[in-house]
């Protein structure tokens, strides 16, 4: 066998391995509150299996619209139950793949330099020194809907709504407060506990009884070309290992047997 032939065989082998690895990778549309938690989870999965999970973060509502129009994702992790259920009802998900993976929480968050007293929780938003309040757009972001419900429950929504700075998703909402574009924000506890925010500010958790539960679910899309890896990742999501990771970021979660 000539050297040229050996080199060609080696090159073809490398191309086959690359194509095989690419075929095993999945792309996941994930709610923005999962930005840091899912980075850890995806890294754990890749370490265990050698398979890559590419995470794309954004608003659950926007993803829902994209998925209805055939966006090329393998899985969808929503910040509510409604969007995955609607996709399931429309026949756009793999049968039996619907799984409720966590419950999120919201907090009032301010930068360390803020003098705002958070001991009164949401009532702190009534402080006249506050000019801008960051909130996720309730039109398509479940965390924004929860924030509005909590403010309405405390009878302050109509008094502060003119100060809202709306984020496209909960991650952008958090960035508004971190950057100083807003004085205070209602953000996901998972982001407040993330490496990007935990040392930059302080927060007060909003009592869960003040807003509808932020129940979150995932599905595998029927259009996925990598259903085997997607199903393997779904099983991994149900493990105690992943439950522990999600709890680290403030989620309520129950693990199930692998």
């Amino acid at each position: 066998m000539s050297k040229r032939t050996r080199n060609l065989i080696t090159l073809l082998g490398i191309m086959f391995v690359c194509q095989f690895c690419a075929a095993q990778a999945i792309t996941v549309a994930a709610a923005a509150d999962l930005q840091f938690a899912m980075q850890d989870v995806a890294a754990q999965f890749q370490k265990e299996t050698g398979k890559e999970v590419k995470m794309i973060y954004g608003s659950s509502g926007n993803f829902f619209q994209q998925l209805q129009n055939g966006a090329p994702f393998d899985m969808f992790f929503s910040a509510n139950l409604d969007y995955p259920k609607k996709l399931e009802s429309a026949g756009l998900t793999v049968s039996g793949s619907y799984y409720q993976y966590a419950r999120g929480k919201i907090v009032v968050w301010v930068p360390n330099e803020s003098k705002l007293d958070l001991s009164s929780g949401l009532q702190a938003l009534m402080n006249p020194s506050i000019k801008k309040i960051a909130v996720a757009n309730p039109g398509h972001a479940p965390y924004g809907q929860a924030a509005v419900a909590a403010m309405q429950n405390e009878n302050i929504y109509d008094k502060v709504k003119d100060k809202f700075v709306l984020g496209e998703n909960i991650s952008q909402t958090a960035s508004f407060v971190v950057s100083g574009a807003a004085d205070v924000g209602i953000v996901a506890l998972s982001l407040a506990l993330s490496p990007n925010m935990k040392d930059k500010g302080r927060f007060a958790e909003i009592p869960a009884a003040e807003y509808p539960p932020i129940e979150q679910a995932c599905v595998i899309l029927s259009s996925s070309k990598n259903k085997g890896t997607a199903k393997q990742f779904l099983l991994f999501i149900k493990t105690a290992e992943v439950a522990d990771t999600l709890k680290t970021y403030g989620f309520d979660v129950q693990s199930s047997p692998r």
Side-chain angles (χ1 to χ4, degrees):
M1 184 184 295
S2 68
K3 182 177 180 181
R4 181 178 180 182
T5 301
R6 288 198 301 270
N7 289 342
L8 178 59
I9 291 173
T10 300
L11 178 60
L12 289 173
I14 292 172
M15 290 174 64
F16 174 78
V17 170
C18 290
Q19 289 176 347
F20 178 74
C21 292
Q24 289 189 310
I26 58 172
T27 303
V28 176
D33 67 310
L34 295 169
Q35 183 175 356
F36 295 94
M38 288 301 283
Q39 284 178 6
D40 291 353
V41 170
Q44 293 168 6
F45 180 73
Q46 185 165 359
K47 184 177 180 181
E48 282 199 18
T49 67
K51 298 176 182 179
E52 183 182 4
V53 179
K54 301 175 182 177
M55 308 297 305
I56 308 296
Y57 302 100
S59 159
S60 296
N62 286 344
F63 278 137
F64 173 67
Q65 295 296 334
Q66 293 170 22
L67 291 168
Q68 285 184 306
N69 294 321
F73 291 102
D74 296 287
M75 296 186 72
F76 174 40
F77 281 74
S78 176
N80 71 1
L81 306 183
D82 291 343
Y83 296 136
K85 285 182 176 178
K86 287 178 180 177
L87 292 173
E88 184 180 50
S89 297
L92 298 176
T93 67
V94 171
S95 178
S97 68
Y98 177 91
Y99 176 64
Q100 191 171 321
Y101 62 87
R103 176 183 290 181
K105 302 174 184 177
I106 51 176
V107 302
V108 182
W109 193 94
V110 293
N112 284 325
E113 59 270 22
S114 173
K115 297 180 180 179
L116 189 66
D117 181 4
L118 296 181
S119 62
S120 60
L122 278 176
Q123 292 297 323
L125 300 181
M126 296 292 291
N127 190 302
S129 68
I130 294 176
K131 306 302 180 186
K132 295 181 180 180
I133 302 169
V135 178
N137 190 328
H140 52 246
Y143 275 86
Q145 294 161 8
V148 168
M151 286 184 280
Q152 289 174 333
N153 186 70
E154 293 206 15
N155 298 314
I156 64 170
Y157 174 75
D158 290 330
K159 300 172 184 176
V160 300
K161 64 181 181 180
D162 291 339
K163 298 181 179 181
F164 287 175
V165 178
L166 297 180
E168 185 66 14
N169 53 61
I170 197 62
S171 181
Q172 185 182 64
T173 303
S175 72
F176 285 160
V177 203
V178 173
S179 67
D183 305 303
V184 59
I186 301 178
V187 305
L189 175 59
S190 61
L191 297 181
L193 295 176
S194 73
N196 194 46
M197 292 183 69
K198 66 179 181 180
D199 296 325
K200 295 180 180 178
R202 50 195 171 81
F203 65 86
E205 190 169 332
I206 299 170
E210 296 195 354
Y211 54 92
I214 309 176
E215 303 283 7
Q216 309 192 187
C218 63
V219 287
I220 298 173
L221 284 309
S222 56
S223 59
S224 169
K225 300 185 186 305
N226 304 295
K227 291 184 178 68
T229 300
K231 289 177 180 178
Q232 190 175 3
F233 188 58
L234 179 59
L235 286 175
F236 184 68
I237 291 296
K238 298 178 181 181
T239 63
E241 180 182 2
V242 170
D244 289 342
T245 299
L246 293 175
K247 288 174 184 176
T248 299
Y249 286 92
F251 290 102
D252 284 335
V253 59
Q254 292 182 340
S255 59
S256 59
R258 196 167 187 172

